[in-house]
Amino acid sequence: MLSYEEALDHLLSAAVPVEEIRLLPLAVAAGRILAEAQVSTVTVPPLDNSAMDGYAVRCADVPEAGVALPVVQRIPAGSVGHALAIGTAARIFTGAPIPAGADAVVMQEFCEHGPNDMVIVNRVPTPGMNIRRAGEDIAAGAEVLAAGTRLGPAEIGLAASIGIAQLPVRRHLRVALLSTGDELTEPGNPLPPGGIYNSNRHFLRAMFESLGCAVTDAGHVPDTLEATRAALREAAGAHDLIVTSGGVSVGEEDHVKPAVEAEGELSLWKIAIKPGKPLAFGKVGSRGTAFIGLPGNPVSCFVTFLLFLRPYVLKRMGVRTTLPLARQLVSASDWNKPEDRRSFLRARIAADGRVELYPNQSSGVLTSCAWADGLVDVPAHQPFKAGDPVRYLAFADLL
Ligand code: AMP
Ligand code: MG
């Protein structure tokens, strides 16, 4: 059996990012993965400017509170004043450039109007007060966005702030999903005797879409070798990755393994984790389309996706950091039946900040995944008690 890390290393070392890059306008770039680092050609802010509405002065002219200065210019944002003569003040507004010679801005709340266009400055300024310095945010030539960054609202705003209108992003990873199992019935239909509803197909689609993949639902394959082979051949054509759920155990109804072997190549990994022991990895078709077979049990399928598919898919999408942050939290539950494999228990953070376990950790109980908001990662053979520290992976960080 492979450890989690060994299996993940195998998977990640085979994950090559999609090559094609497209240039997208900012309006449609949110959620995409930046393909090339972005370097600023401008300085932000471009000039020293005022952080407040108030009066630009020379500190040397205001040695004490109550000094009156003539207001000889008015500088709103968007205009440029002229050099400040000694012994004068400039009315200035937030974002307006500081005139040459001025070394502080006094907030208008600390000033009052005097006679003859004078301002009375009631606060002694210190040099640099209320001045935002040129380049304080970004220096020209600085890298502002690294390749492999997912473009969220802040990144889109940052690109705009340096004048970039279009960003190079990687094309979507194209994923084909196949379900196997003659017992599966699609939701919306009555359940025949011996049937169960197909849940994996639907949550897998949602998970891939939440990572930002272009998903093709290639349907539900009958449990025969020929149908499975045909579905794999069909899916290999236009996709970067084919993912199946179910059919990778060793029963004679499990046709995914022989079908992949016949259409390409396959390794079946037994991984020392629970849930989710078997994971199939291979290639299909003449283009060598990657293939990953997930376990059929819904919880195994769900957890295996988070632990393996997610980092693999992110790497293929060109994302820079693919491993989730784990948090050290305190358990609210006892775990008395440690497994002989590293376990990923469905859990959630209670109101007091401690982590509670879902009472039924069986791999068929999908309710546990909906109830939970994360996984507790427990080493093999390791019981724990309420109050003990546990390693917690939040779904919010994973999806
Ligand atoms: P298998 O890996 O095909 O042997 O399936 C293991 C278990 O998971 C069986 O109980 C299947 O009925 C169930 N299962 C397989 N695929 C799905 C699916 N798409 N939705 C819900 N349950 C499934
Ligand atoms: Mg099956």
Side-chain angles (χ1 to χ4, degrees):
M1 279 214 264
L2 298 176
S3 69
Y4 171 44
E5 282 83 4
E6 285 165 339
L8 191 60
D9 278 354
H10 284 319
L11 210 53
L12 290 180
S13 60
V16 178
V18 290
E19 273 173 17
E20 295 98 306
I21 293 171
R22 41 201 63 169
L23 207 52
L24 292 185
L26 295 185
V28 291
R32 304 298 296 262
I33 309 304
L34 188 65
E36 291 156 10
Q38 300 297 300
V39 171
S40 181
T41 56
V42 297
T43 298
V44 182
L47 297 169
D48 287 358
N49 68 90
S50 179
M52 292 288 169
D53 290 344
Y55 293 84
V57 298
R58 291 171 188 268
C59 292
D61 291 337
V62 191
E64 60 194 20
V67 168
L69 297 172
V71 181
V72 296
Q73 54 177 319
R74 189 173 184 279
I75 316 172
S79 69
V80 180
H82 46 84
L84 190 71
I86 292 174
T88 69
R91 178 73 172 122
I92 197 163
F93 298 89
T94 305
I98 303 293
D103 58 5
V105 171
V106 182
M107 282 169 72
Q108 64 188 24
E109 289 81 350
F110 299 135
C111 299
E112 57 188 296
H113 294 294
N116 306 324
D117 284 338
M118 303 282 274
V119 61
I120 300 163
V121 182
N122 292 323
R123 216 17 101 87
V124 177
T126 52
M129 183 186 268
N130 296 322
I131 295 178
R132 300 192 287 220
R133 292 294 175 195
E136 179 178 289
D137 185 357
I138 299 166
E143 180 179 304
V144 292
L145 292 168
T149 300
R150 188 187 286 274
L151 298 168
E155 288 76 17
I156 301 269
L158 197 53
S161 79
I162 56 172
I164 293 177
Q166 294 185 308
L167 288 167
V169 303
R170 291 194 194 264
R171 77 151 166 79
H172 285 119
L173 190 73
R174 298 177 186 136
V175 180
L177 278 182
L178 286 170
S179 316
T180 73
D182 283 350
E183 73 279 30
L184 299 181
T185 299
E186 286 311 313
N189 298 301
L191 205 56
I196 58 162
Y197 286 118
N198 187 347
S199 51
N200 299 359
R201 177 179 186 175
H202 301 279
F203 73 67
L204 284 174
R205 178 178 195 131
M207 286 167 123
F208 277 109
E209 283 176 350
S210 81
L211 293 185
C213 298
V215 182
T216 307
D217 185 340
H220 172 193
V221 191
D223 275 338
T224 70
L225 182 59
E226 253 332 295
T228 312
R229 287 184 62 173
L232 289 172
R233 275 198 301 274
E234 168 77 22
H239 297 94
D240 304 303
L241 172 65
I242 302 172
V243 175
T244 60
S245 82
V248 289
S249 340
V250 285
E252 66 263 28
E253 294 296 324
D254 289 326
H255 300 291
V256 173
K257 192 170 166 272
V260 176
E261 280 164 345
E263 297 294 331
E265 56 184 75
L266 182 85
S267 338
L268 191 63
W269 298 337
K270 286 200 163 43
I271 306 166
I273 62 165
K274 195 175 176 176
K277 186 156 70 178
L279 188 73
F281 181 64
K283 292 185 212 183
V284 174
S286 53
R287 290 172 54 244
T289 302
F291 165 85
I292 295 181
L294 293 169
N297 273 312
V299 176
S300 305
C301 187
F302 191 93
V303 170
T304 313
F305 177 95
L306 295 177
L307 298 180
F308 293 102
L309 264 281
R310 176 186 174 277
Y312 171 83
V313 162
L314 291 180
K315 186 162 175 215
R316 292 209 58 194
M317 291 168 66
V319 176
R320 198 160 42 115
T321 43
T322 56
L323 292 180
L325 270 184
R327 294 177 227 187
Q328 192 83 3
L329 295 176
V330 172
S331 180
S333 309
D334 295 336
W335 176 242
N336 298 319
K337 357 165 221 197
E339 303 282 348
D340 56 1
R341 289 178 267 159
R342 179 170 174 180
S343 299
F344 292 89
L345 309 174
R346 273 70 65 214
R348 73 182 181 195
I349 301 179
D352 65 2
R354 299 191 307 164
V355 178
E356 47 185 342
L357 299 180
Y358 190 71
N360 185 345
Q361 294 288 334
S362 153
S363 65
V365 178
L366 195 54
T367 316
S368 66
C369 295
W371 179 93
D373 56 20
L375 300 171
V376 166
D377 174 6
V378 210
H381 312 291
Q382 193 167 301
F384 59 80
K385 296 214 164 310
D388 288 348
V390 287
R391 187 171 189 269
Y392 180 77
L393 298 162
F395 289 160
D397 293 336
L398 296 170
L399 287 171

